[in-house]
Amino acid sequence: METNQTSFNGVIMAQIEIFSDPNFAGDASGVLTDEKPYVGDFWNDKISSIKVYSGTWQFFEHANFQGRNFQLGPGEYSQLNNATNDTISSFKPITGTTTFAEEILNAHNKYRAEVGVQPLQWSEDLAASAQQWANHLAQTGTFQHSRSGENLALGSTGTFSVTQLVDIWGGEKKDFRNGIFPNVSSTGNWQHVGHYTQIVWRNTTSVGGGLARGNGNDILVCHYNPVGNFMGQPVY
């Protein structure tokens, strides 16, 4: 059994994903971390939307980082403007890293900002407990909860950024309806939105996360305090 139980509370390499069509449609590159002096014949002048997961990236009109250029920081750019759409031949990160904690916080707090609740703060104690459980899941090849106030995500190794793993939980908002817990899901089952409601739970103030690798998967664990998803309480 191959596992990697290294703590990820240090730095995360700059990460980006490019798409051939607007709104993150069409062909997708997968997560990229290295500079591209030439994007290749397929991608040359064929990039219409971009997701920047971490770092700041610079994009160039010509190969080898030449010609007109522009920069993008972390965010989702669903439609490049007329001056930049389908004009990219090379790109590179110009600020290469962000911390694991920053990425976790940014990924969570964008959802909290959408509903008007206060941003979460990082907790080293929660991070330590989350990392311990992530290591256990990687070592044992299991995928189960250890406590309340916990979100788990799993993806094939190297396929998903940390932000994308958090977005698996955030994607549940499509079935969310604002109400008193547990009557918060359009499907009638609160478990279909329970990861999302924990992310945006009004009374939760802190989060800590851990990431481990094993059995061909990356496993992200986040712990929260105070814990959310209490019966009879509003989400926000």
Side-chain angles (χ1 to χ4, degrees), residues 205-218:
T205 59
S206 56
V207 63
L211 186 70
R213 290 174 177 164
N215 300 287
N217 292 310
D218 288 340

Side-chain angles (χ1 to χ4, degrees), residues 25-166:
D27 293 294
S29 65
V31 178
L32 304 173
T33 59
D34 299 322
E35 65 179 35
K36 297 293 182 184
Y38 179 61
V39 294
D41 291 341
F42 175 82
W43 285 104
N44 187 43
D45 296 337
K46 194 183 175 183
I47 299 171
S48 297
S49 55
I50 299 171
K51 292 184 179 181
V52 179
Y53 298 116
S54 55
T56 299
W57 293 73
Q58 191 166 14
F59 302 84
F60 297 82
E61 179 184 15
H62 303 312
N64 298 312
F65 318 120
Q66 300 297 313
R68 292 179 301 172
N69 61 87
F70 63 99
Q71 296 178 11
L72 295 176
E76 297 187 353
Y77 304 90
S78 61
Q79 174 68 70
L80 299 182
N81 62 37
N82 291 336
T84 57
N85 184 46
D86 293 338
T87 63
I88 298 169
S89 296
S90 58
F91 57 83
K92 63 182 178 180
I94 57 175
T95 60
T97 60
T98 186
T99 69
F100 178 76
E102 287 171 342
E103 188 163 1
I104 289 286
L105 288 173
N106 290 340
H108 280 73
N109 287 333
K110 69 179 181 182
Y111 291 107
R112 294 178 68 86
E114 288 174 353
V115 298
V117 293
Q118 291 297 308
L120 298 178
Q121 303 297 315
W122 185 255
S123 165
E124 291 293 345
D125 288 340
L126 293 175
S129 64
Q131 186 65 56
Q132 183 179 24
W133 190 244
N135 291 345
H136 170 77
L137 296 178
Q139 184 178 33
T140 60
T142 55
F143 192 69
Q144 59 190 22
H145 283 289
S146 66
R147 46 166 279 179
S148 58
E150 176 181 80
N151 279 353
L152 308 178
L154 179 148
S156 298
T157 297
T159 302
F160 298 91
S161 69
V162 171
T163 298
Q164 284 178 308
L165 290 172
V166 174

Side-chain angles (χ1 to χ4, degrees), residues 112 117-118 197-198 200-205 233-236:
R112 294 178 68 86
V117 293
Q118 291 297 308
T197 53
Q198 175 59 87
V200 299
W201 194 263
R202 176 187 58 186
N203 292 331
T204 297
T205 59
Q233 293 188 10
V235 178
Y236 51 80

